[in-house]
Short mmCIF file of all heavy atoms in Angstrom, two decimals:
data_model
loop_
_atom_site.label_atom_id
_atom_site.label_comp_id
_atom_site.label_asym_id
_atom_site.label_seq_id
_atom_site.Cartn_x
_atom_site.Cartn_y
_atom_site.Cartn_z
N ILE A 1016 -31.43 -27.58 48.18
CA ILE A 1016 -31.79 -26.26 47.60
C ILE A 1016 -31.38 -26.30 46.12
O ILE A 1016 -30.20 -26.27 45.74
CB ILE A 1016 -31.09 -25.13 48.29
CG1 ILE A 1016 -31.41 -25.13 49.82
CG2 ILE A 1016 -31.53 -23.78 47.67
CD1 ILE A 1016 -30.68 -24.14 50.62
N GLY A 1017 -32.36 -26.33 45.23
CA GLY A 1017 -32.15 -26.28 43.83
C GLY A 1017 -32.42 -27.65 43.10
O GLY A 1017 -32.02 -28.70 43.65
N ALA A 1018 -33.11 -27.63 42.01
CA ALA A 1018 -33.34 -28.87 41.24
C ALA A 1018 -32.75 -28.78 39.86
O ALA A 1018 -33.32 -29.14 38.80
CB ALA A 1018 -34.89 -29.13 41.11
N GLY A 1019 -31.48 -28.25 39.83
CA GLY A 1019 -30.69 -28.36 38.61
C GLY A 1019 -30.00 -29.70 38.54
O GLY A 1019 -30.35 -30.64 39.31
N ALA A 1020 -28.96 -29.83 37.71
CA ALA A 1020 -28.27 -31.10 37.55
C ALA A 1020 -27.71 -31.56 38.91
O ALA A 1020 -27.64 -32.79 39.17
CB ALA A 1020 -27.20 -31.01 36.51
N ALA A 1021 -27.23 -30.67 39.76
CA ALA A 1021 -26.65 -31.05 41.05
C ALA A 1021 -27.73 -31.46 42.02
O ALA A 1021 -27.59 -32.50 42.67
CB ALA A 1021 -25.84 -29.88 41.58
N GLY A 1022 -28.77 -30.65 42.10
CA GLY A 1022 -29.81 -30.97 43.04
C GLY A 1022 -30.52 -32.33 42.69
O GLY A 1022 -30.86 -33.09 43.62
N PHE A 1039 -36.22 -27.72 47.39
CA PHE A 1039 -36.75 -26.41 47.16
C PHE A 1039 -36.30 -25.92 45.77
O PHE A 1039 -35.11 -25.84 45.55
CB PHE A 1039 -36.30 -25.39 48.24
CG PHE A 1039 -36.90 -25.74 49.58
CD1 PHE A 1039 -36.19 -26.64 50.46
CD2 PHE A 1039 -38.07 -25.21 50.04
CE1 PHE A 1039 -36.68 -26.96 51.69
CE2 PHE A 1039 -38.56 -25.53 51.29
CZ PHE A 1039 -37.90 -26.39 52.11
N GLU A 1040 -37.23 -25.53 44.94
CA GLU A 1040 -36.84 -25.05 43.57
C GLU A 1040 -37.67 -23.82 43.26
O GLU A 1040 -38.91 -23.92 43.20
CB GLU A 1040 -37.06 -26.15 42.52
CG GLU A 1040 -36.86 -25.67 41.08
CD GLU A 1040 -35.57 -24.88 40.83
OE1 GLU A 1040 -34.52 -25.48 41.00
OE2 GLU A 1040 -35.65 -23.68 40.50
N ARG A 1041 -37.00 -22.70 42.97
CA ARG A 1041 -37.81 -21.49 42.79
C ARG A 1041 -38.41 -21.41 41.37
O ARG A 1041 -39.35 -20.66 41.10
CB ARG A 1041 -36.94 -20.24 43.07
CG ARG A 1041 -35.79 -20.03 42.23
CD ARG A 1041 -34.98 -18.79 42.62
NE ARG A 1041 -33.74 -18.71 41.86
CZ ARG A 1041 -32.73 -17.96 42.17
NH1 ARG A 1041 -32.82 -17.18 43.21
NH2 ARG A 1041 -31.70 -17.93 41.37
N ASP A 1042 -37.87 -22.20 40.44
CA ASP A 1042 -38.43 -22.25 39.10
C ASP A 1042 -39.67 -23.15 39.02
O ASP A 1042 -40.03 -23.82 40.06
CB ASP A 1042 -37.36 -22.74 38.11
CG ASP A 1042 -37.57 -22.29 36.71
OD1 ASP A 1042 -38.75 -21.97 36.32
OD2 ASP A 1042 -36.65 -22.25 35.90
N GLN A 1044 -39.87 -25.72 36.96
CA GLN A 1044 -39.50 -27.01 36.42
C GLN A 1044 -38.07 -27.36 36.80
O GLN A 1044 -37.30 -26.50 37.29
CB GLN A 1044 -39.58 -27.00 34.89
CG GLN A 1044 -38.83 -25.88 34.21
CD GLN A 1044 -38.91 -25.88 32.72
OE1 GLN A 1044 -38.61 -26.92 32.11
NE2 GLN A 1044 -39.34 -24.81 32.15
N GLY A 1046 -34.05 -28.67 35.98
CA GLY A 1046 -33.10 -28.38 34.91
C GLY A 1046 -32.19 -27.24 35.14
O GLY A 1046 -31.11 -27.11 34.57
N GLY A 1047 -32.60 -26.29 36.03
CA GLY A 1047 -31.72 -25.23 36.41
C GLY A 1047 -31.22 -24.38 35.26
O GLY A 1047 -32.02 -23.91 34.41
N LEU A 1048 -29.91 -24.25 35.10
CA LEU A 1048 -29.27 -23.45 34.09
C LEU A 1048 -29.77 -23.84 32.71
O LEU A 1048 -29.81 -23.01 31.79
CB LEU A 1048 -27.74 -23.75 34.19
CG LEU A 1048 -26.89 -23.18 33.05
CD1 LEU A 1048 -26.19 -21.95 33.59
CD2 LEU A 1048 -25.90 -24.17 32.49
N TRP A 1049 -30.13 -25.09 32.50
CA TRP A 1049 -30.44 -25.57 31.15
C TRP A 1049 -31.88 -25.25 30.72
O TRP A 1049 -32.30 -25.55 29.61
CB TRP A 1049 -30.22 -27.10 31.04
CG TRP A 1049 -28.72 -27.38 31.28
CD1 TRP A 1049 -28.16 -27.79 32.43
CD2 TRP A 1049 -27.67 -27.18 30.32
NE1 TRP A 1049 -26.81 -27.90 32.28
CE2 TRP A 1049 -26.47 -27.52 30.99
CE3 TRP A 1049 -27.59 -26.81 28.96
CZ2 TRP A 1049 -25.25 -27.50 30.42
CZ3 TRP A 1049 -26.39 -26.73 28.37
CH2 TRP A 1049 -25.19 -27.07 29.06
N HIS A 1070 -32.52 -16.84 36.19
CA HIS A 1070 -31.49 -17.80 36.61
C HIS A 1070 -30.56 -18.25 35.51
O HIS A 1070 -29.38 -18.28 35.63
CB HIS A 1070 -32.16 -19.03 37.20
CG HIS A 1070 -31.16 -19.96 37.75
ND1 HIS A 1070 -30.56 -19.78 38.97
CD2 HIS A 1070 -30.56 -21.11 37.20
CE1 HIS A 1070 -29.68 -20.75 39.18
NE2 HIS A 1070 -29.65 -21.55 38.15
N SER A 1072 -28.21 -18.70 32.17
CA SER A 1072 -27.27 -17.95 31.37
C SER A 1072 -27.07 -18.56 30.03
O SER A 1072 -26.12 -18.33 29.29
CB SER A 1072 -25.89 -17.94 32.10
OG SER A 1072 -26.01 -17.36 33.38
N VAL A 1073 -28.01 -19.46 29.64
CA VAL A 1073 -27.87 -20.19 28.35
C VAL A 1073 -28.32 -19.24 27.20
O VAL A 1073 -29.32 -18.58 27.33
CB VAL A 1073 -28.76 -21.47 28.45
CG1 VAL A 1073 -29.04 -22.02 27.04
CG2 VAL A 1073 -28.04 -22.47 29.29
N TYR A 1074 -27.54 -19.28 26.11
CA TYR A 1074 -27.92 -18.49 24.93
C TYR A 1074 -28.50 -19.46 23.88
O TYR A 1074 -28.24 -20.68 23.93
CB TYR A 1074 -26.72 -17.72 24.38
CG TYR A 1074 -25.38 -18.34 24.57
CD1 TYR A 1074 -24.83 -19.17 23.62
CD2 TYR A 1074 -24.66 -18.11 25.78
CE1 TYR A 1074 -23.54 -19.73 23.80
CE2 TYR A 1074 -23.38 -18.69 25.99
CZ TYR A 1074 -22.86 -19.55 25.02
OH TYR A 1074 -21.68 -20.10 25.21
N LEU A 1077 -26.37 -22.19 22.11
CA LEU A 1077 -25.46 -22.98 22.90
C LEU A 1077 -25.56 -24.42 22.64
O LEU A 1077 -26.61 -25.04 22.61
CB LEU A 1077 -25.76 -22.72 24.37
CG LEU A 1077 -24.74 -23.48 25.32
CD1 LEU A 1077 -23.45 -22.77 25.40
CD2 LEU A 1077 -25.37 -23.61 26.73
N ARG A 1078 -24.40 -25.02 22.36
CA ARG A 1078 -24.24 -26.51 22.32
C ARG A 1078 -23.24 -26.88 23.43
O ARG A 1078 -22.49 -26.01 23.85
CB ARG A 1078 -23.69 -26.92 20.96
CG ARG A 1078 -24.75 -26.80 19.84
CD ARG A 1078 -24.09 -27.02 18.46
NE ARG A 1078 -23.61 -28.34 18.32
CZ ARG A 1078 -22.86 -28.72 17.28
NH1 ARG A 1078 -22.48 -27.85 16.34
NH2 ARG A 1078 -22.40 -29.94 17.10
N THR A 1079 -23.27 -28.09 23.87
CA THR A 1079 -22.43 -28.47 25.02
C THR A 1079 -20.97 -28.24 24.61
O THR A 1079 -20.59 -28.30 23.46
CB THR A 1079 -22.63 -29.93 25.41
OG1 THR A 1079 -22.21 -30.80 24.31
CG2 THR A 1079 -24.06 -30.24 25.72
N ASN A 1080 -20.11 -28.04 25.63
CA ASN A 1080 -18.72 -27.94 25.37
C ASN A 1080 -17.94 -29.19 25.71
O ASN A 1080 -16.71 -29.25 25.60
CB ASN A 1080 -18.08 -26.69 26.03
CG ASN A 1080 -18.42 -26.64 27.49
OD1 ASN A 1080 -18.49 -27.67 28.16
ND2 ASN A 1080 -18.66 -25.47 28.04
N LEU A 1081 -18.65 -30.24 26.03
CA LEU A 1081 -18.10 -31.58 26.28
C LEU A 1081 -18.81 -32.58 25.44
O LEU A 1081 -20.02 -32.45 25.20
CB LEU A 1081 -18.28 -31.98 27.73
CG LEU A 1081 -17.41 -31.30 28.80
CD1 LEU A 1081 -17.84 -31.72 30.13
CD2 LEU A 1081 -15.92 -31.75 28.57
N MET A 1086 -20.17 -36.54 29.50
CA MET A 1086 -20.83 -35.46 30.24
C MET A 1086 -21.87 -35.92 31.21
O MET A 1086 -22.14 -35.31 32.26
CB MET A 1086 -21.39 -34.46 29.25
CG MET A 1086 -22.01 -33.23 29.90
SD MET A 1086 -22.57 -32.04 28.60
CE MET A 1086 -23.98 -31.40 29.49
N THR A 1133 -40.82 -22.34 44.86
CA THR A 1133 -40.59 -22.12 46.28
C THR A 1133 -39.13 -21.75 46.48
O THR A 1133 -38.22 -22.54 46.27
CB THR A 1133 -40.90 -23.39 47.11
OG1 THR A 1133 -42.23 -23.81 46.72
CG2 THR A 1133 -40.88 -23.11 48.56
N GLU A 1134 -38.90 -20.49 46.85
CA GLU A 1134 -37.51 -20.00 46.99
C GLU A 1134 -37.06 -20.04 48.44
O GLU A 1134 -37.81 -19.65 49.31
CB GLU A 1134 -37.47 -18.55 46.46
CG GLU A 1134 -36.08 -17.95 46.59
CD GLU A 1134 -35.99 -16.63 45.98
OE1 GLU A 1134 -36.99 -15.98 45.66
OE2 GLU A 1134 -34.81 -16.14 45.78
N VAL A 1135 -35.88 -20.51 48.63
CA VAL A 1135 -35.27 -20.48 49.97
C VAL A 1135 -34.76 -19.09 50.23
O VAL A 1135 -33.94 -18.59 49.45
CB VAL A 1135 -34.18 -21.58 50.10
CG1 VAL A 1135 -33.38 -21.36 51.42
CG2 VAL A 1135 -34.76 -22.96 50.02
N VAL A 1136 -35.16 -18.42 51.27
CA VAL A 1136 -34.74 -17.08 51.51
C VAL A 1136 -33.79 -16.96 52.75
O VAL A 1136 -33.08 -16.06 52.90
CB VAL A 1136 -35.90 -16.06 51.69
CG1 VAL A 1136 -36.67 -15.92 50.40
CG2 VAL A 1136 -36.86 -16.50 52.79
N CYS A 1167 -27.38 -26.64 46.47
CA CYS A 1167 -27.19 -26.96 45.08
C CYS A 1167 -27.78 -25.83 44.20
O CYS A 1167 -28.51 -26.04 43.27
CB CYS A 1167 -27.91 -28.26 44.67
SG CYS A 1167 -27.56 -29.69 45.67
N ASN A 1168 -27.42 -24.58 44.55
CA ASN A 1168 -28.12 -23.46 43.96
C ASN A 1168 -27.44 -22.95 42.68
O ASN A 1168 -27.89 -22.00 42.07
CB ASN A 1168 -28.26 -22.30 44.97
CG ASN A 1168 -26.95 -21.65 45.35
OD1 ASN A 1168 -25.94 -22.37 45.45
ND2 ASN A 1168 -26.93 -20.40 45.61
N GLY A 1169 -26.37 -23.63 42.24
CA GLY A 1169 -25.71 -23.26 40.95
C GLY A 1169 -24.82 -22.02 41.13
O GLY A 1169 -24.91 -21.31 42.16
N HIS A 1170 -23.94 -21.80 40.20
CA HIS A 1170 -23.02 -20.65 40.34
C HIS A 1170 -22.72 -19.98 39.00
O HIS A 1170 -21.63 -19.58 38.77
CB HIS A 1170 -21.75 -21.02 41.11
CG HIS A 1170 -21.05 -22.22 40.63
ND1 HIS A 1170 -20.06 -22.20 39.67
CD2 HIS A 1170 -21.22 -23.57 40.91
CE1 HIS A 1170 -19.60 -23.40 39.45
NE2 HIS A 1170 -20.29 -24.30 40.19
N TYR A 1171 -23.79 -19.95 38.20
CA TYR A 1171 -23.65 -19.24 36.91
C TYR A 1171 -24.79 -18.22 36.71
O TYR A 1171 -25.42 -18.20 35.64
CB TYR A 1171 -23.59 -20.25 35.73
CG TYR A 1171 -22.34 -21.08 35.75
CD1 TYR A 1171 -22.42 -22.38 36.22
CD2 TYR A 1171 -21.15 -20.60 35.30
CE1 TYR A 1171 -21.26 -23.23 36.21
CE2 TYR A 1171 -20.00 -21.40 35.31
CZ TYR A 1171 -20.08 -22.69 35.83
OH TYR A 1171 -18.94 -23.47 35.82
N THR A 1172 -25.04 -17.47 37.76
CA THR A 1172 -26.16 -16.52 37.68
C THR A 1172 -25.75 -15.15 38.12
O THR A 1172 -26.34 -14.16 37.71
CB THR A 1172 -27.35 -17.04 38.56
OG1 THR A 1172 -27.84 -18.28 38.00
CG2 THR A 1172 -28.53 -16.08 38.62
N SER A 1214 -17.75 -19.39 26.90
CA SER A 1214 -18.83 -18.47 26.49
C SER A 1214 -18.24 -17.40 25.60
O SER A 1214 -18.89 -17.00 24.61
CB SER A 1214 -19.49 -17.86 27.69
OG SER A 1214 -20.09 -18.80 28.47
N TYR A 1284 -18.54 -15.82 36.58
CA TYR A 1284 -19.63 -15.64 37.54
C TYR A 1284 -19.11 -15.72 39.01
O TYR A 1284 -17.96 -16.17 39.17
CB TYR A 1284 -20.69 -16.73 37.33
CG TYR A 1284 -21.40 -16.61 36.02
CD1 TYR A 1284 -20.87 -17.13 34.85
CD2 TYR A 1284 -22.55 -15.86 35.94
CE1 TYR A 1284 -21.48 -16.96 33.61
CE2 TYR A 1284 -23.20 -15.66 34.72
CZ TYR A 1284 -22.62 -16.23 33.56
OH TYR A 1284 -23.27 -16.03 32.32
N PHE A 1290 -28.96 -16.55 50.81
CA PHE A 1290 -29.90 -17.11 51.83
C PHE A 1290 -29.17 -17.68 53.01
O PHE A 1290 -29.73 -18.06 54.03
CB PHE A 1290 -30.79 -18.19 51.19
CG PHE A 1290 -29.99 -19.23 50.37
CD1 PHE A 1290 -29.25 -20.22 50.96
CD2 PHE A 1290 -29.93 -19.09 49.00
CE1 PHE A 1290 -28.50 -21.09 50.27
CE2 PHE A 1290 -29.18 -19.96 48.19
CZ PHE A 1290 -28.44 -20.98 48.84
N ILE A 1323 -22.94 -29.09 46.85
CA ILE A 1323 -22.61 -29.94 45.73
C ILE A 1323 -22.41 -29.01 44.48
O ILE A 1323 -23.18 -28.08 44.26
CB ILE A 1323 -23.88 -30.83 45.36
CG1 ILE A 1323 -24.27 -31.73 46.54
CG2 ILE A 1323 -23.56 -31.68 44.15
CD1 ILE A 1323 -23.25 -32.75 46.96
N GLY A 1324 -21.31 -29.25 43.79
CA GLY A 1324 -21.13 -28.66 42.50
C GLY A 1324 -20.27 -27.42 42.49
O GLY A 1324 -20.25 -26.72 41.45
N THR A 1329 -14.35 -29.31 35.24
CA THR A 1329 -14.40 -30.70 35.55
C THR A 1329 -15.67 -31.27 34.95
O THR A 1329 -16.48 -30.52 34.47
CB THR A 1329 -14.36 -30.93 37.03
OG1 THR A 1329 -14.39 -32.33 37.34
CG2 THR A 1329 -15.60 -30.33 37.77
N LEU A 1330 -15.78 -32.56 35.00
CA LEU A 1330 -17.00 -33.25 34.50
C LEU A 1330 -18.05 -32.99 35.52
O LEU A 1330 -18.19 -33.70 36.57
CB LEU A 1330 -16.69 -34.77 34.44
CG LEU A 1330 -15.81 -35.21 33.31
CD1 LEU A 1330 -15.35 -36.62 33.55
CD2 LEU A 1330 -16.51 -35.09 31.96
N GLN A 1331 -18.91 -32.01 35.21
CA GLN A 1331 -19.84 -31.52 36.24
C GLN A 1331 -20.86 -32.61 36.69
O GLN A 1331 -20.89 -32.89 37.87
CB GLN A 1331 -20.62 -30.37 35.63
CG GLN A 1331 -19.79 -29.19 35.25
CD GLN A 1331 -19.51 -28.28 36.48
OE1 GLN A 1331 -20.42 -27.75 37.04
NE2 GLN A 1331 -18.28 -28.17 36.88
N PHE A 1332 -21.62 -33.19 35.77
CA PHE A 1332 -22.67 -34.07 36.25
C PHE A 1332 -22.07 -35.35 36.95
O PHE A 1332 -22.65 -35.75 37.99
CB PHE A 1332 -23.50 -34.56 35.04
CG PHE A 1332 -24.35 -33.52 34.38
CD1 PHE A 1332 -24.08 -32.18 34.51
CD2 PHE A 1332 -25.43 -33.91 33.51
CE1 PHE A 1332 -24.83 -31.21 33.84
CE2 PHE A 1332 -26.20 -32.96 32.89
CZ PHE A 1332 -25.86 -31.59 33.06
N PHE A 1335 -21.10 -34.20 40.33
CA PHE A 1335 -22.28 -34.07 41.19
C PHE A 1335 -22.74 -35.38 41.80
O PHE A 1335 -23.11 -35.51 42.94
CB PHE A 1335 -23.51 -33.49 40.44
CG PHE A 1335 -23.31 -32.14 39.78
CD1 PHE A 1335 -24.14 -31.76 38.71
CD2 PHE A 1335 -22.31 -31.27 40.19
CE1 PHE A 1335 -23.98 -30.50 38.13
CE2 PHE A 1335 -22.16 -30.00 39.56
CZ PHE A 1335 -23.03 -29.64 38.55
P1 FAD B 2211 -28.08 -24.86 38.14
O1 FAD B 2211 -28.33 -25.68 36.92
O2 FAD B 2211 -27.84 -23.45 38.00
O3 FAD B 2211 -29.27 -25.17 39.12
C1 FAD B 2211 -29.47 -24.48 40.34
C2 FAD B 2211 -30.96 -24.49 40.64
O4 FAD B 2211 -31.12 -23.93 41.95
C3 FAD B 2211 -31.82 -23.72 39.68
O5 FAD B 2211 -32.87 -24.52 39.23
C4 FAD B 2211 -32.30 -22.52 40.51
O6 FAD B 2211 -33.61 -22.13 40.14
C5 FAD B 2211 -32.31 -23.14 41.93
N1 FAD B 2211 -32.16 -22.12 42.99
C6 FAD B 2211 -31.16 -21.21 43.09
N2 FAD B 2211 -31.35 -20.50 44.23
C7 FAD B 2211 -32.46 -20.98 44.83
C8 FAD B 2211 -33.16 -20.64 45.99
N3 FAD B 2211 -32.74 -19.63 46.83
N4 FAD B 2211 -34.29 -21.29 46.30
C9 FAD B 2211 -34.75 -22.31 45.52
N5 FAD B 2211 -34.10 -22.66 44.34
C10 FAD B 2211 -32.99 -22.03 44.04
N6 FAD B 2211 -21.53 -28.14 32.02
C11 FAD B 2211 -21.37 -29.25 31.32
O7 FAD B 2211 -21.20 -30.36 31.93
N7 FAD B 2211 -21.38 -29.25 29.95
C12 FAD B 2211 -21.53 -28.08 29.26
O8 FAD B 2211 -21.52 -28.12 28.01
C13 FAD B 2211 -21.77 -26.88 30.02
N8 FAD B 2211 -21.97 -25.71 29.35
C14 FAD B 2211 -22.19 -24.60 30.07
C15 FAD B 2211 -22.49 -23.41 29.42
C16 FAD B 2211 -22.77 -22.22 30.10
C17 FAD B 2211 -23.03 -20.95 29.40
C18 FAD B 2211 -22.66 -22.24 31.52
C19 FAD B 2211 -22.91 -21.00 32.31
C20 FAD B 2211 -22.37 -23.39 32.22
C21 FAD B 2211 -22.17 -24.61 31.51
N9 FAD B 2211 -21.90 -25.82 32.17
C22 FAD B 2211 -21.72 -26.96 31.44
C23 FAD B 2211 -21.86 -25.91 33.63
C24 FAD B 2211 -23.32 -26.08 34.21
O9 FAD B 2211 -23.51 -25.00 35.03
C25 FAD B 2211 -23.41 -27.35 34.95
O10 FAD B 2211 -23.33 -28.35 34.01
C26 FAD B 2211 -24.70 -27.59 35.71
O11 FAD B 2211 -25.84 -27.59 34.85
C27 FAD B 2211 -24.91 -26.76 36.92
O12 FAD B 2211 -25.90 -27.43 37.66
P2 FAD B 2211 -26.31 -26.95 39.12
O13 FAD B 2211 -27.41 -27.81 39.58
O14 FAD B 2211 -25.05 -26.80 39.97
O15 FAD B 2211 -26.81 -25.44 38.95
#
Side-chain angles (χ1 to χ4, degrees):
I1016 304 174
F1039 293 88
E1040 171 51 62
R1041 64 183 174 194
D1042 205 337
Q1044 55 179 305
L1048 173 103
W1049 298 99
H1070 186 79
S1072 300
V1073 162
Y1074 31 93
L1077 183 78
R1078 289 170 64 189
T1079 65
N1080 51 36
L1081 284 173
M1086 184 176 147
T1133 309
E1134 179 173 14
V1135 170
V1136 293
C1167 307
N1168 67 326
H1170 50 92
Y1171 293 101
T1172 295
S1214 298
Y1284 295 86
F1290 47 80
I1323 303 293
T1329 184
L1330 287 168
Q1331 297 275 299
F1332 292 18
F1335 299 160

